[in-house]
Amino acid sequence: MRSISSFLFLLSASIAMVAAGERPKPIPLRWGVLAFPQYQGLDAYGPLEMLNVVKYYTPNMTIAVIAETLDPVPATTFNDLDQPVTYMKPTHTIDENVNLDVLLIPGGPRTSMNTNIINYVKNLYPKLQYIISVCSGATILAKAGVIDGKCATTTKFDWAETTQTGPGVNWVPCARWVTDGNVWTSSGVAAGIDLTHAFIKEIFGNETLADRAANILEIDIHKDSSWDPFCEIWNVTAVGTAV
Amino acid sequence: MRSISSFLFLLSASIAMVAAGERPKPIPLRWGVLAFPQYQGLDAYGPLEMLNVVKYYTPNMTIAVIAETLDPVPATTFNDLDQPVTYMKPTHTIDENVNLDVLLIPGGPRTSMNTNIINYVKNLYPKLQYIISVCSGATILAKAGVIDGKCATTTKFDWAETTQTGPGVNWVPCARWVTDGNVWTSSGVAAGIDLTHAFIKEIFGNETLADRAANILEIDIHKDSSWDPFCEIWNVTAVGTAV
């Protein structure tokens, strides 16, 4: 699709880099997305759509989908009464020692109760360059002890309930996303797309590519991590409290 | 999830409606989403995530997924070299005469070449209250003759190529979404979410519910259909031309 335009983009980006005397930074190429029953679809699909574009322009970048089994994993619907209509197809199970540089964890209504997934994250984290959570995916990081004493954020809609899973976490009530060392956590659902843009900009060192992905997908990216109207909308007045 | 809050929201919305002496408008309850190989994932997943919330607060609303067969339908990845990782699971085939009020059509790189899907839309359209396309899903409407002589928009990234599928269409180069009678067409990918919000606001007559869905998902909705920075970004200077 638009192969000439894509080639010219790659060429001009390379020329610009050389002209500026920049050395490409080593970037995390081996991505994994965690899939478990009733994950919140858009938590994963938004970042994945951005990453698919980034991957197109990034040689040797891979995206794995990790789950308990290789069976298709159903997303949640907001009400759990109906059959889910969207799925992720795993490429690896949590029992395989797949080598990853970055793991992205979506949220979902039952996220913090999946012991197998929590243990997988607990064991994998020390081997990762970066770990990312979207929405209530932060509850898995909390239960796995990854963010004890660290700053993190999560869904504002379910703030009180969600933050209870990590009493030792410095929950940041008003932030689109939060970084603390190699841990990136976003606010609810759509915030994962802004986090992904910021990650490509900062860690890949390539805002041009991050912007191109957003422009192809016609996404209006929020580039300020402190932008967060939803903490006020949902009356998140302090850590762990919602009125 | 948040059942008390949800109940209070429903109650307060009902009280407000009665207090204002408003009669609820008849709304299209039977939704269908069209699935075909290599649909652009986020074209469908964004609106679906919004509709899942709307459905939660809308008794008797149903969402069907219509495809050529009942086999899971793979989304595209931006480069088609890899295995897709996301799917929609059809609830009905195009050969069943499922009764729908609204059909939502996502885009994708091979969208305009699927004759079975195009014929299905051509035959179904006269029976629908509304039809919606996202991104290059408009090429199916064009090939099915649904938007001949009508105003419509589509992806700005692929503008020149995409608009060629409908020489008789009044393509609107700068618009987040366009409505013409009962046909709603959005610009690329993420624009489908803004269209969905506008549809719930206007056709369901319930901006409160549309806003609630967006706020739960922490989506910053664009409410002005003329908002479109991407026509400039992609140099869409006139209908059917891209520099």
Side-chain angles (χ1 to χ4, degrees), chain A residues 85, chain B residues 35 65-73 88-93:
Chain A
V85 295
Chain B
V65 176
I66 321 288
E68 288 179 87
T69 73
L70 291 178
D71 298 335
V73 183
M88 278 196 281
K89 188 176 180 183
T91 57
H92 302 81
T93 71

Side-chain angles (χ1 to χ4, degrees), chain A residues 1-2 5-6 39-43 45-46 48-49 52-53 55-57 61 63-65 76-79 82-91 108-109 135 154-161 175-176 187-191 193 212 214-220 222 227-230 233-234 242, chain B residues 1-2 5-6 39-43 45-46 48-49 52-53 55-57 61 63-65 76-79 82-91 108-109 135 154-161 175-176 187-191 193 212 214-220 222 227-230 233-234 242:
Chain A
M1 188 163 75
R2 302 253 304 190
S5 147
S6 304
Y39 66 94
Q40 189 75 41
L42 201 56
D43 291 8
Y45 305 146
L48 269 171
E49 203 82 73
N52 280 336
V53 180
K55 185 175 183 296
Y56 181 77
Y57 297 110
M61 179 174 165
I63 303 174
V65 176
T76 189
T77 55
F78 190 75
N79 53 338
D82 297 325
Q83 289 303 308
V85 295
T86 70
Y87 290 77
M88 278 195 281
K89 189 176 180 184
T91 58
C135 198
T154 184
T155 168
K156 304 305 151 59
F157 172 60
D158 258 340
W159 180 257
E161 195 177 310
R176 189 64 166 172
S187 194
V189 193
I193 296 171
R212 184 171 176 89
N215 290 340
I216 286 173
L217 302 172
E218 298 188 32
I219 299 170
D220 184 24
H222 299 96
W227 177 88
D228 185 8
F230 300 102
I233 285 169
W234 292 116
Chain B
M1 190 162 73
R2 302 253 303 191
S5 146
S6 303
Y39 66 94
Q40 190 76 42
L42 201 56
D43 291 8
Y45 305 147
L48 269 171
E49 202 81 72
N52 280 337
V53 180
K55 185 174 182 297
Y56 181 77
Y57 297 109
M61 179 174 164
I63 303 175
V65 176
T76 190
T77 55
F78 190 75
N79 52 338
D82 298 325
Q83 289 302 309
V85 297
T86 70
Y87 290 78
M88 278 196 281
K89 188 176 180 183
T91 57
C135 198
T154 183
T155 168
K156 305 305 151 59
F157 172 61
D158 258 339
W159 180 256
E161 196 177 310
R176 188 63 167 172
S187 193
V189 192
I193 297 172
R212 183 170 176 89
N215 290 340
I216 286 172
L217 303 172
E218 297 189 33
I219 299 170
D220 185 24
H222 299 96
W227 178 88
D228 186 7
F230 300 102
I233 286 169
W234 292 115

Side-chain angles (χ1 to χ4, degrees), chain B residues 27-240:
Chain B
I27 54 177
L29 293 173
R30 300 172 301 178
W31 285 72
V33 177
L34 202 51
F36 42 82
Q38 299 199 348
Y39 66 94
Q40 190 76 42
L42 201 56
D43 291 8
Y45 305 147
L48 269 171
E49 202 81 72
M50 289 283 288
L51 292 172
N52 280 337
V53 180
V54 171
K55 185 174 182 297
Y56 181 77
Y57 297 109
T58 307
N60 303 321
M61 179 174 164
T62 55
I63 303 175
V65 176
I66 321 288
E68 288 179 87
T69 73
L70 291 178
D71 298 335
V73 183
T76 190
T77 55
F78 190 75
N79 52 338
D80 300 339
L81 303 173
D82 298 325
Q83 289 302 309
V85 297
T86 70
Y87 290 78
M88 278 196 281
K89 188 176 180 183
T91 57
H92 302 81
T93 71
I94 56 176
D95 299 322
E96 300 173 49
N97 289 321
V98 56
N99 293 317
L100 299 174
D101 299 323
V102 192
L103 181 69
L104 186 145
I105 306 172
R110 312 242 182 299
T111 307
S112 67
M113 292 184 281
N114 191 322
T115 309
N116 291 342
I117 291 293
I118 290 164
N119 288 336
Y120 174 72
V121 170
K122 189 172 192 168
N123 296 329
L124 183 67
Y125 174 61
K127 306 172 195 163
L128 295 170
Q129 288 184 43
Y130 300 95
I131 198 160
I132 295 168
S133 71
V134 177
C135 198
S136 60
T139 63
I140 291 180
L141 295 182
K143 293 269 189 172
V146 170
I147 50 176
D148 281 347
K150 285 197 171 78
C151 294
T153 197
T154 183
T155 168
K156 305 305 151 59
F157 172 61
D158 258 339
W159 180 256
E161 196 177 310
T162 304
T163 52
Q164 283 169 19
T165 61
V169 179
N170 301 324
W171 295 107
V172 181
C174 293
R176 188 63 167 172
W177 73 90
V178 166
T179 61
D180 190 332
N182 66 352
V183 181
W184 291 55
T185 54
S186 90
S187 193
V189 192
I193 297 172
D194 291 334
L195 178 153
T196 303
H197 179 280
F199 190 95
I200 299 307
K201 173 187 172 184
E202 184 170 328
I203 305 303
F204 279 50
N206 195 338
E207 183 169 17
T208 306
L209 178 55
D211 285 347
R212 183 170 176 89
N215 290 340
I216 286 172
L217 303 172
E218 297 189 33
I219 299 170
D220 185 24
I221 294 290
H222 299 96
K223 299 186 175 184
D224 175 1
S225 65
S226 70
W227 178 88
D228 186 7
F230 300 102
C231 63
E232 188 173 328
I233 286 169
W234 292 115
N235 299 312
V236 177
T237 51
V239 174

Side-chain angles (χ1 to χ4, degrees), chain A residues 11-12 31 46 51 61 64 72 93 106-107 124 133 153 171-172 182 215 224 228 238:
Chain A
L11 186 65
S12 60
W31 285 72
L51 292 172
M61 179 174 165
T93 72
L124 183 68
S133 70
T153 198
W171 295 107
V172 180
N182 65 352
N215 290 340
D224 175 1
D228 185 8

